């Protein structure tokens, strides 16, 4: 069935659920896992140069701003490696063959590229649920991967928690 499963994760709440689904699948099929975390410079959570000197025709960066930004990127890279190491150790504890990588760039394209190079049979990834205009403007990583991956793709949707309704017991008259 599946021999190589690429698991595309970030540090969102959804990632733990995606990882657990992929781990379950790997255990059931004997597949090996590749955990992929992509740092995207275009994501709003990542640092940018905080102040741009615009008092001349040619904008310049202050050295301390560049140093600060590079330090922030180093911290983010380290957090990503620690996150991947934690998940890697969990998979090893479940006797699953696992490896991990962290890349910098566009998540959509990198997921497809890493899957192709690693010869993955399946990509497991989360889905944020963007639709309509927001998907058109902001894009959708899962949509891109579904249409461009060279292998099968499993998108994991966050579980919807609905309130449980208690059904009253039916009492019967015994005769």
């Amino acid at each position: 069935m599946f021999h190589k499963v690429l698991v595309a994760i970030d540090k969102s709440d959804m990632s733990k659920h995606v990882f657990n689904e992929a781990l379950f699948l790997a255990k059931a099929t004997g597949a090996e896992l590749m955990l992929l975390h992509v740092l995207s410079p275009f994501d709003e959570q990542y640092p940018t140069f905080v102040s741009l000197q615009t008092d001349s025709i040619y904008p310049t960066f202050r050295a301390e701003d560049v140093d600060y930004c590079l330090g922030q990127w180093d911290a983010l890279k380290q957090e990503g490696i620690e996150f991947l190491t934690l998940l890697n150790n969990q998979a090893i504890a479940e006797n699953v063959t696992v490896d991990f990588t962290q890349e910098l760039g566009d998540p959509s394209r990198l997921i497809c590229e890493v899957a192709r190079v690693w010869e993955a049979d399946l990509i497991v990834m989360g889905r944020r649920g963007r639709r309509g205009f927001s998907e058109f403007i902001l894009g959708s990583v899962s949509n891109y991967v579904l249409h461009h991956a060279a292998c099968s793709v499993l998108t994991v949707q966050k579980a919807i928690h609905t309130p449980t309704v208690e059904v009253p017991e039916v009492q019967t008259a015994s005769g």
Side-chain angles (χ1 to χ4, degrees):
M1 178 158 226
F2 298 116
H3 303 286
K4 296 176 113 180
V5 178
L6 176 72
V7 187
I9 53 175
D10 56 21
K11 293 186 292 182
S12 68
D13 295 338
M14 180 73 170
S15 286
K16 186 65 176 169
H17 185 60
V18 170
F19 172 75
N20 287 335
E21 293 291 325
L23 184 61
F24 176 81
L25 185 63
K27 286 170 49 177
T29 63
E32 63 182 289
L33 295 178
M34 172 64 74
L35 307 176
L36 170 63
H37 180 245
V38 178
L39 296 170
S40 172
F42 308 110
D43 197 333
E44 65 272 1
Q45 72 181 12
Y46 294 112
T48 58
F49 292 101
V50 289
S51 67
L52 186 61
Q53 300 297 318
T54 57
D55 56 352
S56 71
I57 295 173
Y58 303 104
T60 58
F61 297 103
R62 294 187 325 200
E64 52 272 4
D65 291 339
V66 173
D67 290 342
Y68 173 79
C69 184
L70 293 174
Q72 293 292 86
W73 272 105
D74 287 342
L76 283 170
K77 287 191 281 187
Q78 186 59 38
E79 286 174 21
I81 294 298
E82 290 170 3
F83 176 65
L84 288 167
T85 301
L86 175 72
L87 297 179
N88 185 73
N89 291 341
Q90 289 177 12
I92 289 170
E94 297 288 332
N95 296 316
V96 172
T97 302
V98 62
D99 200 359
F100 65 84
T101 185
Q102 180 169 259
E103 303 290 333
L104 173 65
D106 176 28
S108 304
R109 288 179 173 81
L110 278 171
I111 291 167
C112 291
E113 179 65 16
V114 170
R116 186 187 61 74
V117 170
W118 189 60
E119 299 177 346
D121 303 312
L122 177 69
I123 298 170
V124 178
M125 61 187 303
R127 182 177 177 279
R128 289 185 181 162
R130 287 189 179 133
R131 296 181 191 272
F133 190 69
S134 69
E135 181 179 7
F136 176 74
I137 297 298
L138 300 173
S140 168
V141 174
S142 59
N143 188 41
Y144 181 93
V145 173
L146 281 166
H147 288 92
H148 293 89
C151 63
S152 297
V153 179
L154 172 64
T155 57
V156 177
Q157 185 78 20
K158 193 172 194 176
I160 299 172
H161 297 287
T162 56
T164 57
V165 178
E166 288 189 32
V167 178
E169 283 187 37
V170 177
Q171 295 182 2
T172 59
S174 55

